[in-house]
């Protein structure tokens, strides 16, 4: 599965990048990553992966955000 980067490149979808971004948000707000934060990050990344898999066209980074 591919996504479209902001510069127009088509790249492989990487759910770890989504998880990392979400965990960075939790760190910024809470000062750390709890088990809850990790579970939520995993759930969100999995949801986006499933959504992107069913999409007619590759998603853009902005659509994912």
């Amino acid at each position: 599965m591919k996504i479209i980067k902001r510069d127009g490149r088509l790249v492989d979808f990487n759910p770890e990048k989504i998880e990392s971004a979400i965990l960075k948000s939790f760190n910024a707000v809470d000062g750390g990553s709890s088990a809850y934060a990790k579970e939520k990050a995993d759930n969100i990344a999995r949801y986006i992966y499933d959504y992107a898999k069913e999409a007619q066209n590759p998603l853009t980074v902005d659509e994912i955000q």
Side-chain angles (χ1 to χ4, degrees):
M1 175 175 28
K2 303 285 187 182
I3 64 163
I4 302 169
K5 300 286 279 186
R6 287 191 178 98
D7 64 5
R9 289 180 295 135
L10 199 61
V11 299
D12 289 331
F13 180 81
N14 184 351
E16 286 96 26
K17 287 187 175 187
I18 293 169
E19 289 180 42
S20 175
I22 294 167
L23 289 174
K24 285 179 184 178
S25 296
F26 272 102
N27 284 331
V29 173
D30 297 337
S33 293
S34 64
Y36 173 79
K38 291 175 184 174
E39 178 184 344
K40 286 298 173 188
D42 182 57
N43 289 342
I44 293 167
R46 194 173 302 135
Y47 174 83
I48 293 171
Y49 178 82
D50 291 342
Y51 180 84
K53 195 167 49 172
E54 299 297 323
Q56 297 284 341
N57 298 308
L59 298 178
T60 65
V61 169
D62 290 326
E63 289 172 320
I64 291 170
Q65 287 182 330

